Amino acid sequence: MLVHSFGPFRLNASERLLEKDGASVIIGGRTLDLLIALIDRAGTVVGVKDLMTLVWPDVIVEEANLRVSISALRKALRDGKGGSRYIVNVAGRGYTFVAPLRKERAERPAGDNNTPIALTSRPLPEMPQFLVGRHAVVKNLAQLLLSQRFVSVVGPGGIGKTTVALAVASALRSEFEEDCVCFVDGGAIADPGDLPTAVASAIGCTAESDPLLGIVAFLTNRRTLLILDSCEHLIGAAASLTNVLFQAKTKVHLLTTSREALRMDCENVHLLQPLHYPLDEAPTALQAMATPAVQLFMERATASGYLDTLSDRDAPIVSNICRRLDGIALAIEMVATRVGVYGIHGTVDLLDNGAELVLQGRRDALPRHQSLEALHDWSYRLLSEYEQTVLARLSVFVGELTLAAAHAVVADAGDDRKALTHAIASLGDKSLIQVSSVGGRATYRLLDTTRSYASHKLAERGEKDEIARRHALYFASVLEQTRIHGSTPDNCNASQVDLSLGNIRRAMAWSFSRAGDPAIGLRLTASAAHVSPGHSLLRECQEWCEQALGSLDESERATPLEKDLQEALSTSMTHLRRNDGKLVYTAQRGPDLA
């Protein structure tokens, strides 16, 4: 039987004996059971219910009993005194033992500190058996890590950063000794100050006074791969620790995962891309199954009990599901697991009714990975209050937007433009906004699942209609200036109105909705009709014009506005080759009004 040593303490679980500096420590039986349970699961977060079951297996107790025992255990260990940390409470999840552990044989005489001890590293979490679409990435990252020593895998939540990191570690096993590949789950660490202690525990290092100095000394002559997973809420501490380890000329190789880069000179950032899905809107089953997103979807669907293979009829539907989930691996897995019960078409109905955020994932997954809502909650809570406001308001945009559009719609009167620009850049750094370049100009886009989540937050803030009004007014102005001057407020060529079509459609839909403003809809319709023939919106233009004409009140009849609408309707119907009495009336009504 092994004895666990930590700090000045030795725990012999088989003899139910806790010693400090060779002297017995007297604690209650339940408190000792609690310590044994935590040490047996050191480095992992043990849930409150699980701990209560382990410590009181045959007794019904309240959570207050556990808190009392935790308090007694911390007092017996003098946890928090003199810089020592043993037990950490992870808010909303449970408790974890974080102190470095040393294992030794039970027959070792008590108090004999001269006998060599075996230092052990924490085992890697189990890697998913089905790795799809990442083999080339894993190979390239493994080579980069060996040559550069410090690599950060960065991307939005659920994209598969942890899976890739574990696959890289698995590929490099032969490059390191058995106990020299260590994993630290940053998600289990609430206080950034606990990161060095957690790392020391993971590598099997004894460092009672200054964990960071102990880690550097311990790793100086050991070729080690250290993985720091989920660092986004520990950015400062992770940056400091990795910089010290890298600059100290140790032999450690560092692999971090985060939704935001650490921004260190020695860091090599890899932006992990979503899984590819078919770009063709009507792919065959063979074409769809050639993409990793659809492969993952069908693998998880089969695991959920779906027995059919993908047909040519269903291939476009599955491809569209992967597209609307932006190729995010976790989102695809969560949705695909419903196919066994609901079928492919039933699963689409779930998504159309807004279920993607609340669908539950695996029960054994981390809490933040058990639903897309929890996944986004994790990121949202890490934002400043102003960044939360900006993210929520940006949800009004469909597809890509420009910085000028964001300033016009998101900012309140008197807002600092620099502050808003900085907030948008920060959201991009945190993988909550995608940044790309179109025609040499930066454009921004929220992933669809992020936009859905942010839209809920906007509604909770009570700002949905106000921001929708700003959005509609802005794009009415875009169309009016394009019509008059041939350029938009962004100084873009009129052809670049293509980028705004999704937003124009949304603005039109809101304007004529019950909560909208038909007057803005009339402005949008009158101007959109003049640019729509070049943008393949003829049928929509006809529908918009007919709806706008139907909403005119008597004071707006026989005005320039009606004239513009009648002329636009006539143009649309002519291009659509519609030849009936309505076209004759419309074609005559416009010149009569002129």
Side-chain angles (χ1 to χ4, degrees):
M1 185 71 181
L2 290 177
V3 171
H4 292 89
S5 297
F6 54 96
F9 297 95
R10 287 180 80 244
L11 172 66
N12 187 329
S14 63
E15 296 183 5
R16 299 184 60 78
L17 176 64
L18 177 66
E19 297 177 323
K20 179 182 180 182
D21 295 326
S24 296
V25 178
I26 307 301
I27 59 175
R30 298 294 188 187
T31 307
L32 183 60
D33 289 337
L34 179 60
L35 176 61
I36 293 171
L38 289 170
I39 285 182
D40 284 346
R41 297 158 183 80
T44 61
V45 180
V46 187
V48 170
K49 290 184 179 179
D50 291 337
L51 272 178
M52 291 166 65
T53 300
L54 290 167
V55 179
W56 292 275
D58 302 315
V59 182
I60 298 177
V61 296
E62 301 293 332
E63 188 175 333
N65 295 82
L66 177 62
R67 290 197 294 267
V68 170
S69 293
I70 287 286
S71 177
L73 179 56
R74 282 176 165 160
K75 183 176 181 180
L77 299 178
R78 296 183 60 79
D79 194 359
K81 305 295 184 180
S84 62
R85 291 303 300 271
Y86 299 114
I87 300 168
V88 171
N89 179 22
V90 181
R93 294 183 61 188
Y95 298 88
T96 180
F97 192 90
V98 297
L101 284 173
R102 307 184 300 278
K103 295 180 181 179
E104 56 195 60
R105 295 296 176 187
E107 60 267 24
R108 171 178 160 179
D112 181 2
N113 295 319
N114 297 317
T115 306
I117 56 178
L119 298 177
T120 60
S121 63
R122 182 143 330 130
L124 291 176
E126 184 177 352
M127 192 181 77
Q129 296 180 353
F130 192 72
L131 181 68
V132 57
R134 301 298 194 193
H135 294 90
V137 170
V138 169
K139 181 179 179 180
N140 292 336
L141 285 177
Q143 294 173 348
L144 182 64
L145 188 58
L146 286 177
S147 62
Q148 301 299 316
R149 287 184 49 221
F150 185 5
V151 175
S152 289
V153 180
V154 175
I159 201 169
K161 300 183 294 294
T162 301
T163 298
V164 166
L166 292 174
V168 171
S170 179
L172 293 177
R173 280 282 193 183
S174 61
E175 298 287 338
F176 299 89
E177 295 180 13
E178 182 179 354
D179 290 338
C180 293
V181 179
C182 307
F183 181 91
V184 177
D185 177 13
I189 303 172
D191 184 350
D194 290 332
L195 180 60
T197 302
V199 170
S201 177
I203 64 177
C205 163
T206 304
E208 297 172 16
S209 56
D210 189 332
L212 186 54
L213 291 179
I215 292 168
V216 172
F218 183 77
L219 294 178
T220 298
N221 295 313
R222 291 169 60 95
R223 192 163 185 262
T224 302
L225 171 58
L226 177 61
I227 303 167
L228 303 180
D229 187 48
S230 299
C231 295
E232 51 270 359
H233 62 303
L234 308 169
I235 286 292
S240 176
L241 185 144
T242 52
N243 184 57
V244 168
L245 290 179
F246 191 89
Q247 300 298 339
K249 307 300 181 183
T250 61
K251 296 181 180 180
V252 65
H253 292 248
L254 300 160
L255 178 59
T256 69
T257 74
S258 176
R259 302 182 191 187
E260 179 180 4
L262 303 187
R263 295 199 294 275
M264 306 296 294
D265 287 340
C266 47
E267 177 187 29
N268 295 271
V269 177
H270 176 85
L271 301 177
L272 192 61
Q273 299 301 312
L275 295 175
H276 293 301
Y277 45 79
L279 299 179
D280 188 347
E281 292 188 0
T284 65
L286 187 62
Q287 291 169 334
M289 286 299 294
T291 62
V294 175
Q295 290 173 27
L296 178 62
F297 184 95
M298 292 308 299
E299 188 274 337
R300 298 317 303 160
T302 300
S304 74
Y306 186 70
L307 301 179
D308 295 336
T309 58
L310 184 65
S311 66
D312 287 341
R313 184 183 60 132
D314 289 339
I317 300 173
V318 171
S319 299
N320 185 56
I321 291 175
C322 294
R323 184 181 300 112
R324 69 192 289 179
L325 296 175
D326 294 299
I328 301 297
L330 184 64
I332 291 172
E333 289 186 20
M334 287 182 177
V335 172
T337 56
R338 297 310 190 275
V339 176
V341 174
Y342 294 94
I344 289 175
H345 293 267
T347 301
V348 173
D349 290 340
L350 287 176
L351 296 181
D352 288 343
N353 285 281
E356 70 267 29
L357 288 177
V358 296
L359 289 177
Q360 293 296 305
R362 301 193 328 269
R363 297 184 190 279
D364 60 345
L366 294 171
R368 67 179 182 277
H369 286 169
Q370 289 185 359
S371 73
L372 293 181
E373 186 174 35
L375 186 75
H376 287 94
D377 279 340
W378 172 266
S379 294
Y380 190 76
R381 286 194 293 265
L382 297 177
L383 301 178
S384 68
E385 184 177 350
Y386 185 58
E387 288 171 338
Q388 290 178 352
T389 299
V390 172
L391 181 67
R393 292 179 177 181
L394 286 175
S395 68
V396 74
F397 289 97
V398 177
E400 295 176 330
L401 64 132
T402 63
L403 198 57
H407 280 294
V409 176
V410 174
D412 292 323
D415 273 4
D416 184 350
R417 290 179 62 87
K418 289 184 178 179
L420 178 57
T421 302
H422 176 75
I424 292 174
S426 179
L427 292 172
D429 290 339
K430 293 175 171 64
S431 302
L432 289 167
I433 296 180
Q434 282 192 326
V435 184
S436 56
S437 178
V438 176
R441 298 175 63 85
T443 61
Y444 306 86
R445 173 179 175 267
L446 271 66
L447 297 178
D448 284 350
T449 52
T450 304
R451 186 165 66 85
S452 179
Y453 174 86
S455 180
H456 283 291
K457 291 299 181 183
L458 185 65
E460 289 177 3
R461 298 171 63 89
E463 296 182 328
K464 198 161 190 174
D465 287 330
E466 170 58 27
I467 299 303
R469 174 182 294 277
R470 296 185 196 177
H471 176 268
L473 284 170
Y474 172 75
F475 283 100
S477 175
V478 167
L479 289 174
E480 287 167 351
Q481 293 196 40
T482 301
R483 174 186 174 188
I484 297 171
H485 304 295
S487 64
T488 69
D490 300 342
N491 296 319
C492 297
N493 185 282
S495 65
Q496 291 184 279
V497 171
D498 281 317
L499 290 175
S500 304
L501 292 182
N503 285 295
I504 293 170
R505 292 187 180 102
R506 177 172 183 140
M508 193 73 66
W510 176 82
S511 296
F512 289 116
S513 71
R514 182 175 298 180
D517 186 338
I520 302 176
L522 295 175
R523 289 177 55 190
L524 283 160
T525 306
S527 297
H530 288 272
V531 299
S532 63
H535 295 87
S536 303
L537 287 175
L538 292 171
R539 192 168 300 282
E540 289 181 58
C541 177
Q542 178 186 332
E543 293 173 358
W544 290 342
C545 289
E546 290 175 343
Q547 187 172 3
L549 285 166
S551 68
L552 290 175
D553 57 37
E554 288 304 316
S555 65
E556 294 168 318
R557 301 286 178 184
T559 63
L561 177 59
E562 186 191 353
K563 176 184 75 70
D564 288 343
L565 291 172
Q566 293 286 6
E567 289 178 350
L569 179 58
S570 174
T571 301
S572 300
M573 295 171 70
T574 300
H575 281 287
L576 289 170
R577 302 180 184 274
R578 179 171 173 178
N579 189 12
D580 55 20
K582 190 170 185 178
L583 174 58
V584 173
Y585 169 80
T586 300
Q588 292 176 346
R589 176 68 172 162
D592 288 346
L593 289 173

